[in-house]
């Protein structure tokens, strides 16, 4: 069929075979999409029958979408800071007229919006993951995130694993280390944002001794906003991934293991960190119906 007739067919039918949106950016340092799409969907295919996967995917997408939006909020916040620095450095902004320094394109509102949305979406993602694992695999891990000993004891008693099982202890210690190390303050900041009001300190601009405009990005404690967001994202994505993979490992049949792919081999496996494997030949490709 020649090109002109092909165009007529498409025009007459009013539709096309499909639409491709993408591509996924394989250059991202953390390979987020590969891990949370290809890797995690492969794991679910070994745990669920075909007739259940579509319903699972709807719940998974809710969790994944919130995590992805948290990542985008972080990305946009950092992009605004970078853009503003470049505009000041190249003197597209920060114009001096007489004795006045004019900032024509301040970013305080945008930065506050993206910063707050990161913590809101991030908390929603962890709560979505808890719902997903409880609904589909029977593991209610919410009690592991609380400091309330009564709730912990009640949750441990009802948990799918016996609390004397070493796997329960591994999961409990892992979540507790995250909870005490960063998640508690992460959740507290989210609660402050939603219920008590929150605003980042305003960005300041001053002239140095050479008459150049300098930007002073506010800090939270001793960390810059960039460091807070990058570290929080690394912790958040690692927590979600490790919990999902760990729970999946508990549900696998004894014929399979989850193999942590060495860093130098990950490009061969769609940049995944984990894959389903046969114990004797972990690098071999394994598929399920």
């Amino acid at each position: 069929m020649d090109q002109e007739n092909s165009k007529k067919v498409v025009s007459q039918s009013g539709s096309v075979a499909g639409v491709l949106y993408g591509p996924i950016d394989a250059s991202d340092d953390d390979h987020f999409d590969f891990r949370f799409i290809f890797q995690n969907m492969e794991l679910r295919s070994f745990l669920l029958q075909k007739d259940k996967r579509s319903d699972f995917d709807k719940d998974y997408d809710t969790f994944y979408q919130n995590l992805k939006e948290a990542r985008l909020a972080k990305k946009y916040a950092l992009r605004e800071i970078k853009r503003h620095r470049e505009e000041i450095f190249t003197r597209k902004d920060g114009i001096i007229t007489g004795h006045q320094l004019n900032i024509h394109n301040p970013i305080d509102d945008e930065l506050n919006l993206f910063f707050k949305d990161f913590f809101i979406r991030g908390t929603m993602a962890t709560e979505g993951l808890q719902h997903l694992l409880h609904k589909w695999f029977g593991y209610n891990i919410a009690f592991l995130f609380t400091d309330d000993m009564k709730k912990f004891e009640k949750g441990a008693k009802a948990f799918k694993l016996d609390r004397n099982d070493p796997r329960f202890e591994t999961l409990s210690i892992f979540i507790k280390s995250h909870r005490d190390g960063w998640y508690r303050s992460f959740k507290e900041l989210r609660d402050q944002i939603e219920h008590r009001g929150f605003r980042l300190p305003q960005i300041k601009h001053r002239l140095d001794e050479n008459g150049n405009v300098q930007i002073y990005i506010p800090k939270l404690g001793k960390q810059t906003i960039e460091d807070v967001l990058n570290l929080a994202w690394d912790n958040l994505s690692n927590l979600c991934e490790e919990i999902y993979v760990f729970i999946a490992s508990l549900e696998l049949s004894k014929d399979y293991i989850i193999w942590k792919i060495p860093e130098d081999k990950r490009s061969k496996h769609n940049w995944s960190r984990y894959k389903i494997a046969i114990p004797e030949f972990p690098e071999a490709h394994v598929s399920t119906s």
Side-chain angles (χ1 to χ4, degrees):
M1 184 182 293
D2 60 38
Q3 186 175 3
E4 184 173 346
N5 287 333
S6 175
K7 289 180 180 178
K8 289 180 180 178
V9 170
V10 171
S11 176
Q12 290 169 359
S13 68
S15 63
V16 294
V19 181
L20 292 177
Y21 297 96
I24 291 174
D25 188 358
S27 66
D28 284 349
D29 291 337
D30 61 1
H31 305 295
F32 168 76
D33 287 308
F34 282 111
R35 290 157 45 212
F36 282 86
I37 297 178
F38 298 114
Q39 168 188 287
N40 288 356
M41 289 298 96
E42 180 187 25
L43 296 184
R44 79 87 162 88
S45 295
F46 276 82
L47 303 179
L48 299 173
Q49 297 295 324
K50 277 187 175 180
D51 61 344
K52 296 182 178 180
R53 293 173 192 169
S54 178
D55 288 336
F56 173 89
D57 292 350
K58 292 176 184 177
D59 288 331
Y60 182 87
D61 185 63
T62 300
F63 149 69
Y64 169 71
Q65 185 65 28
N66 280 314
L67 195 59
K68 183 166 67 171
E69 288 174 3
R71 183 171 182 260
L72 285 173
K74 174 192 79 88
K75 177 181 178 181
Y76 293 157
L78 298 182
R79 187 176 65 183
E80 286 297 305
I81 293 174
K82 180 180 179 182
R83 178 181 60 80
H84 189 56
R85 280 198 174 106
E86 289 176 350
E87 288 183 353
I88 295 295
F89 180 77
T90 58
R91 300 188 179 182
K92 292 180 181 178
D93 201 352
I95 310 301
I96 301 171
T97 55
H99 296 287
Q100 180 171 297
L101 172 60
N102 299 295
I103 305 298
H104 296 293
N105 192 20
I107 63 169
D108 295 276
D109 289 339
E110 291 86 350
L111 190 56
N112 269 283
L113 174 66
F114 296 136
F115 185 89
K116 291 192 287 188
D117 208 40
F118 170 78
F119 285 89
I120 292 171
R121 297 295 177 182
T123 305
M124 290 171 66
T126 60
E127 292 170 350
L129 178 62
Q130 292 172 33
H131 170 76
L132 182 81
L133 298 178
H134 187 201
K135 177 179 178 179
W136 285 96
F137 305 123
Y139 293 92
N140 186 357
I141 62 172
F143 73 98
L144 293 170
F145 286 86
T146 182
D147 294 318
D148 188 321
M149 285 306 299
K150 289 184 178 180
K151 290 182 179 180
F152 179 88
E153 291 297 330
K154 183 178 179 181
K157 186 176 181 180
F159 198 59
K160 194 171 180 179
L161 282 178
D162 187 275
R163 67 187 305 167
N164 295 318
D165 190 313
R167 295 173 297 176
F168 174 85
E169 184 179 5
T170 297
L171 179 62
S172 181
I173 291 173
F174 174 78
I175 292 180
K176 185 178 186 302
S177 67
H178 275 264
R179 186 191 72 205
D180 295 345
W182 67 274
Y183 187 75
R184 183 184 290 109
S185 59
F186 186 102
K187 182 71 162 53
E188 286 174 353
L189 182 53
R190 183 261 190 158
D191 291 342
Q192 182 180 347
I193 288 169
E194 286 205 309
H195 305 299
R196 300 190 297 277
F198 176 86
R199 181 181 178 85
L200 289 169
Q202 187 175 6
I203 296 174
K204 303 295 184 182
H205 304 81
R206 297 187 181 91
L207 294 181
D208 63 17
E209 63 274 10
N210 298 315
N212 298 313
V213 180
Q214 299 295 322
I215 302 175
Y216 296 87
I217 305 293
K219 291 185 176 182
L220 295 178
K222 296 182 179 180
Q223 291 182 305
T224 65
I225 292 175
E226 297 101 314
D227 287 341
V228 168
L229 289 172
N230 281 324
L231 184 58
W233 168 252
D234 288 342
N235 284 325
L236 175 66
S237 59
N238 179 66
L239 175 70
C240 290
E241 180 179 23
E242 294 294 327
I243 291 176
Y244 180 93
V245 171
F246 186 83
I247 296 299
S249 73
L250 301 178
E251 292 294 292
L252 276 179
S253 72
K254 295 180 180 179
D255 296 327
Y256 301 108
I257 62 168
I258 293 181
W259 180 49
K260 187 170 186 177
I261 305 168
E263 288 190 26
D264 62 342
K265 297 181 183 294
R266 288 177 185 172
S267 61
K268 298 178 182 179
H269 300 278
N270 284 335
W271 297 104
S272 296
R273 290 181 179 177
Y274 298 96
K275 71 180 289 287
I276 300 291
I278 301 172
E280 296 80 5
F281 307 102
E283 290 197 58
H285 176 69
V286 180
S287 62
T288 185
S289 60

